[in-house]
Amino acid sequence: MQAANLAGVKRFVMLSSAYSMDQAMWGKVKTLRDITDYNIARYFADKWLVDESGLDYTLVQAGILTEEPGTGKIELNPAQSDSNAIPDVAHTIVAALAEPATVKKVFIIKNGSTPIEEALKTC
């Protein structure tokens, strides 16, 4: 983030973990309980990006990454986090760069039925 600022790069998209900024969820979701140290690190990195970086950020919070074929479809801000095909996570990150609706937004994704570009327009 600091290097982006020094280089004059304003647009910054970062992959994070589902519920990284919601500490109450860390004890409620088993997969999150198992990675508490990671959640702590993510929390501080994510908070810095959102509150201190000054960048035009997008924070993509994914659930469990799975090695399966992508579908080009996601669900945005689901009631419960779930699995994410790695190709769809990568597609979401790239698509977020071009979608103005994602600037200064934090959102959770999971495998879903809405085309990625269409879902991101609703941020």
PDB file of all heavy atoms in Angstrom, residues 29-44:
ATOM      1  N   VAL A  29     -17.550 -19.147  13.192  1.00  0.00           N
ATOM      2  CA  VAL A  29     -17.342 -19.944  11.980  1.00  0.00           C
ATOM      3  C   VAL A  29     -16.117 -20.823  12.201  1.00  0.00           C
ATOM      4  O   VAL A  29     -15.014 -20.317  12.402  1.00  0.00           O
ATOM      5  CB  VAL A  29     -17.151 -19.031  10.749  1.00  0.00           C
ATOM      6  CG1 VAL A  29     -16.919 -19.852   9.498  1.00  0.00           C
ATOM      7  CG2 VAL A  29     -18.346 -18.091  10.587  1.00  0.00           C
ATOM      8  N   LYS A  30     -16.322 -22.151  12.155  1.00  0.00           N
ATOM      9  CA  LYS A  30     -15.234 -23.078  12.482  1.00  0.00           C
ATOM     10  C   LYS A  30     -13.979 -22.837  11.644  1.00  0.00           C
ATOM     11  O   LYS A  30     -12.873 -22.817  12.170  1.00  0.00           O
ATOM     12  CB  LYS A  30     -15.673 -24.525  12.327  1.00  0.00           C
ATOM     13  CG  LYS A  30     -14.547 -25.486  12.746  1.00  0.00           C
ATOM     14  CD  LYS A  30     -14.831 -26.909  12.384  1.00  0.00           C
ATOM     15  CE  LYS A  30     -13.726 -27.846  12.762  1.00  0.00           C
ATOM     16  NZ  LYS A  30     -12.360 -27.400  12.679  1.00  0.00           N
ATOM     17  N   THR A  31     -14.149 -22.651  10.352  1.00  0.00           N
ATOM     18  CA  THR A  31     -12.968 -22.453   9.505  1.00  0.00           C
ATOM     19  C   THR A  31     -12.207 -21.189   9.889  1.00  0.00           C
ATOM     20  O   THR A  31     -10.998 -21.122   9.700  1.00  0.00           O
ATOM     21  CB  THR A  31     -13.352 -22.407   8.014  1.00  0.00           C
ATOM     22  OG1 THR A  31     -14.352 -21.393   7.816  1.00  0.00           O
ATOM     23  CG2 THR A  31     -13.864 -23.743   7.533  1.00  0.00           C
ATOM     24  N   LEU A  32     -12.900 -20.206  10.448  1.00  0.00           N
ATOM     25  CA  LEU A  32     -12.220 -18.991  10.911  1.00  0.00           C
ATOM     26  C   LEU A  32     -11.551 -19.199  12.259  1.00  0.00           C
ATOM     27  O   LEU A  32     -10.478 -18.646  12.516  1.00  0.00           O
ATOM     28  CB  LEU A  32     -13.198 -17.820  10.980  1.00  0.00           C
ATOM     29  CG  LEU A  32     -13.779 -17.368   9.650  1.00  0.00           C
ATOM     30  CD1 LEU A  32     -14.777 -16.239   9.868  1.00  0.00           C
ATOM     31  CD2 LEU A  32     -12.696 -16.946   8.683  1.00  0.00           C
ATOM     32  N   ARG A  33     -12.154 -19.989  13.124  1.00  0.00           N
ATOM     33  CA  ARG A  33     -11.537 -20.298  14.431  1.00  0.00           C
ATOM     34  C   ARG A  33     -10.187 -20.968  14.226  1.00  0.00           C
ATOM     35  O   ARG A  33      -9.268 -20.781  15.017  1.00  0.00           O
ATOM     36  CB  ARG A  33     -12.439 -21.221  15.254  1.00  0.00           C
ATOM     37  CG  ARG A  33     -13.553 -20.532  15.966  1.00  0.00           C
ATOM     38  CD  ARG A  33     -14.185 -21.428  17.026  1.00  0.00           C
ATOM     39  NE  ARG A  33     -14.607 -22.721  16.526  1.00  0.00           N
ATOM     40  CZ  ARG A  33     -15.827 -22.992  16.048  1.00  0.00           C
ATOM     41  NH1 ARG A  33     -16.745 -22.048  16.004  1.00  0.00           N
ATOM     42  NH2 ARG A  33     -16.135 -24.189  15.624  1.00  0.00           N
ATOM     43  N   ASP A  34     -10.085 -21.753  13.160  1.00  0.00           N
ATOM     44  CA  ASP A  34      -8.855 -22.504  12.901  1.00  0.00           C
ATOM     45  C   ASP A  34      -7.710 -21.626  12.397  1.00  0.00           C
ATOM     46  O   ASP A  34      -6.571 -22.094  12.337  1.00  0.00           O
ATOM     47  CB  ASP A  34      -9.122 -23.614  11.879  1.00  0.00           C
ATOM     48  CG  ASP A  34     -10.071 -24.687  12.415  1.00  0.00           C
ATOM     49  OD1 ASP A  34     -10.268 -24.756  13.646  1.00  0.00           O
ATOM     50  OD2 ASP A  34     -10.622 -25.444  11.588  1.00  0.00           O
ATOM     51  N   ILE A  35      -8.002 -20.374  12.017  1.00  0.00           N
ATOM     52  CA  ILE A  35      -6.960 -19.503  11.461  1.00  0.00           C
ATOM     53  C   ILE A  35      -6.954 -18.133  12.159  1.00  0.00           C
ATOM     54  O   ILE A  35      -6.802 -17.099  11.515  1.00  0.00           O
ATOM     55  CB  ILE A  35      -7.118 -19.350   9.937  1.00  0.00           C
ATOM     56  CG1 ILE A  35      -8.501 -18.792   9.563  1.00  0.00           C
ATOM     57  CG2 ILE A  35      -6.834 -20.664   9.212  1.00  0.00           C
ATOM     58  CD1 ILE A  35      -8.631 -18.370   8.108  1.00  0.00           C
ATOM     59  N   THR A  36      -7.077 -18.148  13.465  1.00  0.00           N
ATOM     60  CA  THR A  36      -7.173 -16.890  14.217  1.00  0.00           C
ATOM     61  C   THR A  36      -5.971 -15.978  13.979  1.00  0.00           C
ATOM     62  O   THR A  36      -6.143 -14.768  13.781  1.00  0.00           O
ATOM     63  CB  THR A  36      -7.339 -17.176  15.723  1.00  0.00           C
ATOM     64  OG1 THR A  36      -8.542 -17.919  15.895  1.00  0.00           O
ATOM     65  CG2 THR A  36      -7.429 -15.885  16.518  1.00  0.00           C
ATOM     66  N   ASP A  37      -4.767 -16.513  13.983  1.00  0.00           N
ATOM     67  CA  ASP A  37      -3.584 -15.673  13.755  1.00  0.00           C
ATOM     68  C   ASP A  37      -3.659 -14.990  12.394  1.00  0.00           C
ATOM     69  O   ASP A  37      -3.340 -13.807  12.255  1.00  0.00           O
ATOM     70  CB  ASP A  37      -2.295 -16.485  13.862  1.00  0.00           C
ATOM     71  CG  ASP A  37      -2.006 -16.937  15.284  1.00  0.00           C
ATOM     72  OD1 ASP A  37      -2.607 -16.373  16.231  1.00  0.00           O
ATOM     73  OD2 ASP A  37      -1.192 -17.865  15.453  1.00  0.00           O
ATOM     74  N   TYR A  38      -4.087 -15.724  11.386  1.00  0.00           N
ATOM     75  CA  TYR A  38      -4.241 -15.158  10.045  1.00  0.00           C
ATOM     76  C   TYR A  38      -5.304 -14.056  10.064  1.00  0.00           C
ATOM     77  O   TYR A  38      -5.115 -12.989   9.471  1.00  0.00           O
ATOM     78  CB  TYR A  38      -4.612 -16.265   9.046  1.00  0.00           C
ATOM     79  CG  TYR A  38      -4.889 -15.752   7.659  1.00  0.00           C
ATOM     80  CD1 TYR A  38      -3.839 -15.354   6.834  1.00  0.00           C
ATOM     81  CD2 TYR A  38      -6.183 -15.663   7.171  1.00  0.00           C
ATOM     82  CE1 TYR A  38      -4.080 -14.868   5.555  1.00  0.00           C
ATOM     83  CE2 TYR A  38      -6.433 -15.193   5.892  1.00  0.00           C
ATOM     84  CZ  TYR A  38      -5.381 -14.792   5.092  1.00  0.00           C
ATOM     85  OH  TYR A  38      -5.630 -14.316   3.824  1.00  0.00           O
ATOM     86  N   ASN A  39      -6.416 -14.309  10.754  1.00  0.00           N
ATOM     87  CA  ASN A  39      -7.483 -13.303  10.835  1.00  0.00           C
ATOM     88  C   ASN A  39      -6.987 -12.007  11.471  1.00  0.00           C
ATOM     89  O   ASN A  39      -7.363 -10.915  11.043  1.00  0.00           O
ATOM     90  CB  ASN A  39      -8.670 -13.829  11.650  1.00  0.00           C
ATOM     91  CG  ASN A  39      -9.419 -14.923  10.944  1.00  0.00           C
ATOM     92  OD1 ASN A  39      -9.492 -14.955   9.726  1.00  0.00           O
ATOM     93  ND2 ASN A  39      -9.984 -15.838  11.705  1.00  0.00           N
ATOM     94  N   ILE A  40      -6.173 -12.135  12.488  1.00  0.00           N
ATOM     95  CA  ILE A  40      -5.631 -10.950  13.158  1.00  0.00           C
ATOM     96  C   ILE A  40      -4.779 -10.141  12.179  1.00  0.00           C
ATOM     97  O   ILE A  40      -4.928  -8.912  12.066  1.00  0.00           O
ATOM     98  CB  ILE A  40      -4.834 -11.334  14.416  1.00  0.00           C
ATOM     99  CG1 ILE A  40      -5.780 -11.906  15.483  1.00  0.00           C
ATOM    100  CG2 ILE A  40      -4.040 -10.149  14.957  1.00  0.00           C
ATOM    101  CD1 ILE A  40      -5.081 -12.603  16.642  1.00  0.00           C
ATOM    102  N   ALA A  41      -3.908 -10.814  11.457  1.00  0.00           N
ATOM    103  CA  ALA A  41      -3.064 -10.131  10.466  1.00  0.00           C
ATOM    104  C   ALA A  41      -3.919  -9.492   9.375  1.00  0.00           C
ATOM    105  O   ALA A  41      -3.690  -8.341   8.975  1.00  0.00           O
ATOM    106  CB  ALA A  41      -2.066 -11.109   9.860  1.00  0.00           C
ATOM    107  N   ARG A  42      -4.917 -10.222   8.898  1.00  0.00           N
ATOM    108  CA  ARG A  42      -5.815  -9.693   7.858  1.00  0.00           C
ATOM    109  C   ARG A  42      -6.558  -8.464   8.376  1.00  0.00           C
ATOM    110  O   ARG A  42      -6.713  -7.478   7.658  1.00  0.00           O
ATOM    111  CB  ARG A  42      -6.852 -10.747   7.437  1.00  0.00           C
ATOM    112  CG  ARG A  42      -6.296 -11.835   6.601  1.00  0.00           C
ATOM    113  CD  ARG A  42      -6.231 -11.589   5.097  1.00  0.00           C
ATOM    114  NE  ARG A  42      -6.261 -10.238   4.629  1.00  0.00           N
ATOM    115  CZ  ARG A  42      -5.289  -9.646   3.919  1.00  0.00           C
ATOM    116  NH1 ARG A  42      -4.203 -10.309   3.604  1.00  0.00           N
ATOM    117  NH2 ARG A  42      -5.399  -8.407   3.503  1.00  0.00           N
ATOM    118  N   TYR A  43      -7.049  -8.537   9.601  1.00  0.00           N
ATOM    119  CA  TYR A  43      -7.799  -7.430  10.188  1.00  0.00           C
ATOM    120  C   TYR A  43      -7.002  -6.134  10.121  1.00  0.00           C
ATOM    121  O   TYR A  43      -7.498  -5.102   9.662  1.00  0.00           O
ATOM    122  CB  TYR A  43      -8.173  -7.761  11.635  1.00  0.00           C
ATOM    123  CG  TYR A  43      -8.835  -6.614  12.358  1.00  0.00           C
ATOM    124  CD1 TYR A  43     -10.196  -6.375  12.205  1.00  0.00           C
ATOM    125  CD2 TYR A  43      -8.096  -5.763  13.181  1.00  0.00           C
ATOM    126  CE1 TYR A  43     -10.813  -5.311  12.867  1.00  0.00           C
ATOM    127  CE2 TYR A  43      -8.705  -4.705  13.837  1.00  0.00           C
ATOM    128  CZ  TYR A  43     -10.063  -4.480  13.674  1.00  0.00           C
ATOM    129  OH  TYR A  43     -10.664  -3.427  14.306  1.00  0.00           O
ATOM    130  N   PHE A  44      -5.756  -6.187  10.582  1.00  0.00           N
ATOM    131  CA  PHE A  44      -4.949  -4.968  10.619  1.00  0.00           C
ATOM    132  C   PHE A  44      -4.568  -4.491   9.218  1.00  0.00           C
ATOM    133  O   PHE A  44      -4.582  -3.289   8.947  1.00  0.00           O
ATOM    134  CB  PHE A  44      -3.736  -5.142  11.529  1.00  0.00           C
ATOM    135  CG  PHE A  44      -4.125  -5.095  12.977  1.00  0.00           C
ATOM    136  CD1 PHE A  44      -4.174  -6.255  13.729  1.00  0.00           C
ATOM    137  CD2 PHE A  44      -4.472  -3.903  13.580  1.00  0.00           C
ATOM    138  CE1 PHE A  44      -4.563  -6.218  15.064  1.00  0.00           C
ATOM    139  CE2 PHE A  44      -4.863  -3.855  14.913  1.00  0.00           C
ATOM    140  CZ  PHE A  44      -4.905  -5.018  15.657  1.00  0.00           C
TER     141      PHE A  44
END
